[in-house]
Amino acid sequence: MGVQSSITVISVLLILFTSTAKAQSGVFDVVAKYGAKADEKTDLSQPLLDAWKEACASTTPTKIVIPKGTYLLSKATLQGPCKGPIELQVQGTVKAPADPNAFKDPNWVVFSNVEQFTMSGGGVFDGQGAAAWGKNDCSKNKYCAALPINLRFNFVNNAMIQDITTKDSKQFHVNVLGCKNITFQHFTVSAPENSLNTDGIHIGRSDGVNVINTDIKTGDDCVSIGDGSKNVVVQGVTCGPGHGISIGSLGKFQGEEPVSGIKVSKCTISNTMNGVRIKSWPASYPGSASDMHFEDITMNNVGNPILIDQEYCPWNQCNLKLPSRIKLSNISFKNIRGTSSTQQAVKLICSSGLPCEGLELADIDLTYKGPEGPATSQCSNVSPKLTGKQNPPACSGPAQKSQLSRSLISRK
Ligand SMILES: *[C@@H]1O[C@H](CO)[C@@H](O)[C@H](O)[C@H]1NC(C)=O
Ligand SMILES: *[C@@H]1O[C@H](CO)[C@@H](O)[C@H](O)[C@H]1NC(C)=O
């Protein structure tokens, strides 16, 4: 073969090779292939569902791309099971309709029954919630619960969600339900302090959820961990404004599953209503929560930095005469430091019916500056094991006068 013809053969081979590589790489661009328009008025829903349908049918790994630009998305449920791994790369900003009446159910973007799923790309899901928060009062009716959640992960396994922002959701930003092994990392939640009922990431009935190096600014709990959550790691999270990092509330509904294996560490919580807390309703259904560990947490101007509240009763919508029947055990608060915005820096109010068991306080250093005097620590129905520094002195504050009627307490 002459030099000329070998070059031709090589070029042909190269062209063949690159074109097959392209086809196999399985990139589904919603603009280039499915007619999406970044004009903020063409609905992204159908293009996205069409791309998902094709990607989901592929047995080789696929990538769906939402390129840079701003899109309107009415709603989308991206449903599995799929034949191969899927990555959704969101580079653009995807906006929800601002009008809450545009939604018939509390869903905006839902991922359901998907395995080996990745979402990345630096993009934003903007729930445009401002009109919804102003409209009503969550305490008085169920309006809040009917509002759409920005991102739902229902029964999603082995998933990685990274470099994604959820902004101004009308209700919770993220709801994780029935998932196994799902990680949020370099994730961002952004909403103003006055946004009602906008929990950052709510986790329930899931095993193996990691929230890592994530920044959460919102109007309700930064992370809330509900019943049936197991093996949850919250690490390197900055929280605030918001209501802190919470386990619970537990015991409000019949048939709740136990909570166990929760580790919250290396977090910074700033200007929030609470710090780290566990809450359960009085007069509750029975249940349990155990192995919950909070370690290396910095508090900056935080209300109730360390809080167990088994008489959780917002808006007085419960019967405070009966104790909580949620058993709390094997709990530790270690190396928790910084400033409190309330005098009661440590408040451990366990159930009078089922005292807390196996609670440890180690290296606590929380200060309060206010006219009433230094920070206090209050304990009910718990005798914590103490290690290292205790500022405020553990359980030195006035014991809480229980609101529960004495005669009912001794029942177990
Ligand atoms: C958990 O999910 C990640 C993807 O985020 C995957 O790489 C890893 O292998 C999964 N772990 C297990 C034990 O399946
Ligand atoms: C308490 O929690 C730790 C850490 O999760 C665990 O290793 C230990 O077994 C638990 N202890 C009991 C008595 O449950």
Side-chain angles (χ1 to χ4, degrees):
M1 246 192 310
V3 174
Q4 199 74 50
S5 54
S6 0
I7 288 175
T8 314
V9 167
I10 289 170
S11 323
V12 167
L13 280 175
L14 264 177
I15 289 163
L16 273 176
F17 179 81
T18 30
S19 57
T20 10
K22 237 189 199 149
Q24 277 183 347
S25 69
V27 175
F28 302 91
D29 181 318
V30 293
V31 172
K33 257 182 108 172
Y34 300 92
K37 288 199 181 71
D39 60 4
E40 291 191 52
K41 51 179 206 279
T42 306
D43 191 352
L44 176 62
S45 189
Q46 200 56 50
L48 182 57
L49 291 171
D50 290 346
W52 181 268
K53 195 173 166 199
E54 252 191 80
C56 191
S58 168
T59 50
T60 53
T62 50
K63 188 195 280 187
I64 299 170
V65 179
I66 301 177
K68 286 210 163 71
T70 306
Y71 304 80
L72 173 72
L73 172 63
S74 58
K75 64 182 298 181
T77 295
L78 303 173
Q79 184 92 39
C82 296
K83 297 218 161 82
I86 300 186
E87 175 171 358
L88 174 59
Q89 196 174 86
V90 184
Q91 299 167 357
T93 294
V94 180
K95 286 189 173 175
D99 181 3
N101 297 316
F103 294 86
K104 283 193 280 307
D105 49 27
N107 304 328
W108 180 38
V109 179
V110 182
F111 301 93
S112 177
N113 292 89
V114 191
E115 308 261 338
Q116 295 183 281
F117 175 65
T118 305
M119 180 152 70
S120 63
V124 179
F125 289 90
D126 182 351
Q128 302 213 80
W133 315 321
K135 210 177 153 193
N136 220 313
D137 181 349
C138 298
S139 66
K140 296 209 177 101
N141 54 44
K142 293 201 158 79
Y143 171 78
C144 281
L147 290 168
I149 288 175
N150 264 9
L151 300 172
R152 281 186 188 268
F153 297 89
N154 298 339
F155 311 97
V156 172
N157 301 337
N158 301 324
M160 173 65 78
I161 315 300
Q162 60 185 355
D163 304 311
I164 290 290
T165 295
T166 158
K167 181 173 184 281
D168 295 347
S169 185
K170 293 182 178 69
Q171 211 217 118
F172 292 4
H173 280 89
V174 175
N175 194 71
V176 175
L177 173 73
C179 295
K180 288 198 180 105
N181 183 26
I182 181 168
T183 298
F184 295 83
Q185 107 181 342
H186 298 124
F187 189 76
T188 306
V189 174
S190 163
E193 188 166 13
N194 67 358
S195 58
L196 279 179
N197 207 25
T198 54
D199 289 27
I201 301 180
H202 178 77
I203 300 162
R205 309 240 164 159
S206 293
D207 187 353
V209 181
N210 307 300
V211 179
I212 301 185
N213 299 337
T214 284
D215 181 39
I216 304 178
K217 297 180 168 70
T218 196
D220 209 305
D221 291 342
C222 289
V223 179
S224 56
I225 299 170
D227 85 286
S229 298
K230 289 191 282 190
N231 305 313
V232 174
V233 171
V234 176
Q235 187 184 306
V237 167
T238 56
C239 163
H243 295 181
I245 297 174
S246 297
I247 297 174
S249 51
L250 301 172
K252 192 176 189 185
F253 302 102
Q254 195 160 16
E256 289 185 4
E257 292 170 12
V259 169
S260 69
I262 312 294
K263 177 137 198 206
V264 178
S265 66
K266 303 186 178 71
C267 294
T268 301
I269 303 182
S270 306
N271 305 310
T272 52
M273 194 180 278
N274 305 286
V276 287
R277 76 177 154 160
I278 303 172
K279 50 184 172 172
S280 76
W281 294 78
S284 71
Y285 289 100
S288 72
S290 62
D291 294 347
M292 298 172 283
H293 305 283
F294 303 89
E295 196 166 345
D296 303 327
I297 317 269
T298 302
M299 304 282 181
N300 299 313
N301 190 39
V302 165
N304 310 306
I306 298 178
L307 177 60
I308 292 181
D309 184 3
Q310 293 209 265
E311 295 179 5
Y312 178 72
C313 183
W315 313 303
N316 290 317
Q317 287 174 340
C318 49
N319 177 4
L320 270 168
K321 292 205 166 71
L322 290 169
S324 171
R325 289 195 285 163
I326 302 290
K327 175 81 183 177
L328 302 182
S329 63
N330 202 2
I331 307 161
S332 66
F333 297 96
K334 290 186 180 167
N335 193 26
I336 315 256
R337 291 155 195 270
T339 53
S340 177
S341 64
T342 55
Q343 188 182 26
Q344 282 194 323
V346 180
K347 194 170 168 185
L348 307 173
I349 308 301
C350 293
S351 168
S352 55
L354 286 172
C356 291
E357 253 172 46
L359 187 145
E360 183 178 2
L361 286 174
D363 300 307
I364 307 297
D365 193 358
L366 293 165
T367 58
Y368 171 73
K369 284 200 182 75
E372 316 93 297
T376 59
S377 163
Q378 183 190 11
C379 304
S380 301
N381 307 305
V382 60
S383 342
K385 175 184 167 207
L386 307 176
T387 323
K389 183 161 185 166
Q390 296 292 333
N391 177 35
C395 307
S396 59
Q400 159 145 321
K401 227 183 102 210
S402 179
Q403 302 164 75
L404 303 173
S405 94
R406 271 277 148 221
S407 60
L408 292 160
I409 287 172
S410 49
R411 305 200 312 190
K412 260 212 174 170

